[in-house]
Amino acid sequence: MILSVTFSKPVKNIAEILGEEYTRVKIRLLTASLAASKNENYFAEFYTQKQVFHKKMSEAELNEFIAAHAGTTFKNCVQRTESEEITILANKKGKVRLLRKQLAMSSEQLAVSGEQLAVSREQLAGSSYLNGAGFNPCQKRKQYLLQEGVAVPFLVHLGVMTAEGKVVKAKYDKFRQINRFLEMLDDILEDVIALREGGKNPVSENSPLNIVDFGSGKSYLTFAVQHYLTEIKKIPCEIFGLDLKKDVIAYCNGLSQKLGLKNLSFAVGDIASFGEEKHPDIIVTLHACDTATDYALDYAISHKANAILSVPCCQHEINSQLSAKSVPQDSPFAPLLKHGLIKERFSALVTDAIRAELLEREGYKVQILEFIEESATPKNLLIRAVKKMDADTRRLTQMNQNPEKSPLLNTLQVNQTLDTLICSNTLPSES
């Protein structure tokens, strides 16, 4: 019996096929008590960038959906049964591969537990397929990866939850921010693992997923990633956080030890001078100030990280360089420099656009996403970058042997730290 199915990597015209710009679909088996009938024993979640739609399916409908969309509408499909994991992959030419992986699972793991596979009646209350109502996108209820009502130890210690699992009202924005970040991480996990397996280095206890969080601060997200990967996804991982503040790092290490988290550690250090070989699969940087973000991105590139999740902050560098002297009055950009507030926002957008351009040049697929609502924080853009497959990376690397400065930087007559770092790393050394 199929326990769960996850569809990802949708084709560009998915809206024409399914009616919405779905980014992924997750389908899981319901417990007998939650299934509306014996025929509708699967619960499906259809995700867009900002919404999630629900539907209940029968086993026959699930099999039909898999047959119609696995390897076609979605280029990646992962099915889990009691005994194996079946992955269906399609490449750019439409060639489909089927991979089977036997699962050595205990009887406890095979049990469909309420925490892992069940969906509560309260969560299902917003489902548009209850009682045969039909698929109505207006009827939806947000599904959080860290659920309300289920106490999470680190959230309790950090004051986000009560011991009973109730989210503290004053911390609800933080709770939503944490879940939003986990959703963005969850979207790329399969890609990261596939890149490792493509390099014949599958994730295991002896070779865990390696994550580095630069500028970890109070480490809400660092602890969240550890909990999500270890306790919910059951993915072996090793997580390291770095920050300049000694008192904060001491607190985070103390909390990690108190919770018995052997795969999570923190250290005091400067991102710009950090030289340890961490061999990261994923680099995280949240609100690293100004050029600290650039040093984190450069570390990710030079250490061949498979993915990057970065929320930049305080982009002062270009703003301080822009002036009437560097941008003549007859330039189309001149009106953007007349008013300080507009100039500041323009500089921040230019900075992040350049970062995205440079990451693409280095062989990453890049997305700029809204991390959290602007009303919660104006620093709400997230750069999500995932390494492309080897063939694409080799092609882009060959193009990058003689890197040229971005035309936008040339036009504005300014410099940008990531651009400078990448150029210095790729220029031939003097003999």
Side-chain angles (χ1 to χ4, degrees):
M1 176 181 287
I2 295 175
L3 299 180
S4 66
V5 190
T6 301
F7 297 85
S8 59
K9 291 189 176 180
V11 294
K12 292 182 179 179
N13 64 332
I14 187 170
E16 299 176 11
I17 301 170
L18 293 177
E20 290 283 350
E21 292 286 348
Y22 295 122
T23 57
R24 71 188 189 280
V25 177
K26 292 185 176 182
I27 304 172
R28 66 185 100 175
L29 181 67
L30 292 172
T31 57
S33 61
L34 290 176
S37 68
K38 291 183 179 180
N39 292 329
E40 291 185 332
N41 51 355
Y42 285 93
F43 181 75
E45 298 170 290
F46 292 75
Y47 290 84
T48 67
Q49 288 288 355
K50 295 184 178 181
Q51 296 175 305
V52 58
F53 303 127
H54 303 152
K55 175 180 179 180
K56 295 189 78 175
M57 289 183 173
S58 65
E59 186 173 1
E61 288 173 327
L62 172 62
N63 289 328
E64 287 176 8
F65 191 87
I66 293 171
H69 302 294
T72 53
T73 310
F74 294 90
K75 295 180 181 179
N76 196 330
C77 172
V78 180
Q79 303 175 43
R80 278 184 175 269
T81 68
E82 295 96 331
S83 60
E84 65 179 341
E85 181 179 274
I86 305 167
T87 303
I88 300 172
L89 298 169
N91 62 20
K92 292 181 179 179
K93 296 181 179 180
K95 184 178 179 181
V96 178
R97 288 188 302 152
L98 190 145
L99 307 175
R100 292 181 179 272
K101 177 181 175 183
Q102 294 298 314
L103 300 176
M105 300 175 71
S106 67
S107 58
E108 289 182 357
Q109 289 173 313
L110 286 173
V112 182
S113 70
E115 181 179 349
Q116 292 176 320
L117 291 176
V119 179
S120 70
R121 292 191 183 279
E122 182 181 358
Q123 290 171 319
L124 284 172
S127 173
S128 55
Y129 261 75
L130 285 176
N131 303 318
F135 191 38
N136 182 357
C138 295
Q139 295 179 354
K140 54 187 179 290
R141 184 180 179 89
K142 181 65 181 176
Q143 301 290 310
Y144 288 120
L145 295 179
L146 301 183
Q147 298 179 18
E148 298 180 68
V150 179
V152 178
F154 84 90
L155 288 178
V156 174
H157 279 278
L158 291 172
V160 178
M161 273 185 173
T162 66
E164 294 75 33
K166 183 178 179 180
V167 178
V168 177
K169 187 175 181 180
K171 295 288 186 178
Y172 205 88
D173 282 345
K174 178 63 68 177
F175 177 73
R176 290 169 57 245
Q177 183 189 58
I178 290 169
N179 274 285
R180 176 64 173 155
F181 184 83
L182 291 178
E183 288 173 3
M184 292 183 167
L185 172 67
D186 187 65
D187 277 345
I188 63 171
L189 277 177
E190 291 177 6
D191 292 332
V192 173
I193 292 172
L195 284 165
R196 281 186 53 133
E197 291 176 346
K200 298 181 180 179
N201 182 28
V203 176
S204 66
E205 293 292 344
N206 294 326
S207 182
L209 199 68
N210 199 315
I211 300 173
V212 175
D213 186 350
F214 283 125
S216 52
K218 293 182 179 179
S219 302
Y220 288 86
L221 296 185
T222 325
F223 280 95
V225 170
Q226 189 280 338
H227 178 84
Y228 182 63
L229 293 179
T230 304
E231 302 299 329
I232 298 177
K233 299 291 286 186
K234 308 298 182 185
I235 295 176
C237 62
E238 196 76 32
I239 304 174
F240 172 79
L242 184 80
D243 200 90
L244 285 169
K245 299 177 182 177
K246 294 181 181 179
D247 57 336
V248 171
I249 290 300
Y251 174 80
C252 291
N253 272 323
L255 179 56
S256 180
Q257 292 170 12
K258 187 174 183 179
L259 295 174
L261 309 179
K262 296 180 180 180
N263 60 345
L264 176 60
S265 61
F266 301 87
V268 176
D270 184 2
I271 299 172
S273 59
F274 185 74
E276 290 187 32
E277 296 293 326
K278 287 293 181 181
H279 306 294
D281 292 292
I282 302 173
I283 290 284
V284 174
T285 167
L286 179 68
H287 295 162
C289 190
D290 202 13
T291 58
T293 294
D294 297 303
Y295 284 101
L297 296 179
D298 182 62
Y299 186 93
I301 293 168
S302 60
H303 288 76
K304 298 180 172 57
N306 287 325
I308 301 164
L309 293 166
S310 176
V311 180
C313 181
C314 308
Q315 300 94 325
H316 299 310
E317 184 181 32
I318 288 179
N319 187 38
S320 65
Q321 298 176 63
L322 285 174
S323 67
K325 291 182 181 179
S326 63
V327 180
Q329 289 299 312
D330 59 353
S331 167
F333 294 108
L336 295 168
L337 309 182
K338 282 185 176 182
H339 306 282
L341 183 60
I342 293 176
K343 175 172 170 276
E344 181 183 355
R345 293 182 180 179
F346 171 66
S347 300
L349 291 172
V350 168
T351 302
D352 291 337
I354 293 298
R355 287 166 173 161
E357 179 186 10
L358 292 170
L359 287 169
E360 287 176 343
R361 198 171 72 184
E362 291 296 320
Y364 288 87
K365 178 183 177 181
V366 180
Q367 295 171 291
I368 303 293
L369 305 169
E370 186 180 66
F371 174 43
I372 201 71
E373 289 87 349
E374 193 170 7
S375 58
T377 171
K379 309 297 183 182
N380 68 334
L381 293 185
L382 181 140
I383 300 173
R384 186 169 70 185
V386 179
K387 199 80 171 174
K388 294 183 179 180
M389 292 300 175
D390 289 343
D392 290 331
T393 303
R394 282 196 301 270
R395 178 178 60 80
L396 287 165
T397 302
Q398 290 167 1
M399 292 169 59
N400 202 33
Q401 291 301 312
N402 297 302
E404 296 181 359
K405 193 172 184 178
S406 167
L408 183 54
L409 291 178
N410 279 329
T411 300
L412 295 174
Q413 292 297 300
V414 294
N415 297 311
Q416 201 277 328
T417 295
L418 183 59
D419 179 75
T420 303
L421 290 170
I422 289 176
C423 287
S424 65
N425 290 337
T426 54
L427 290 174
S429 60
E430 296 181 6
S431 56

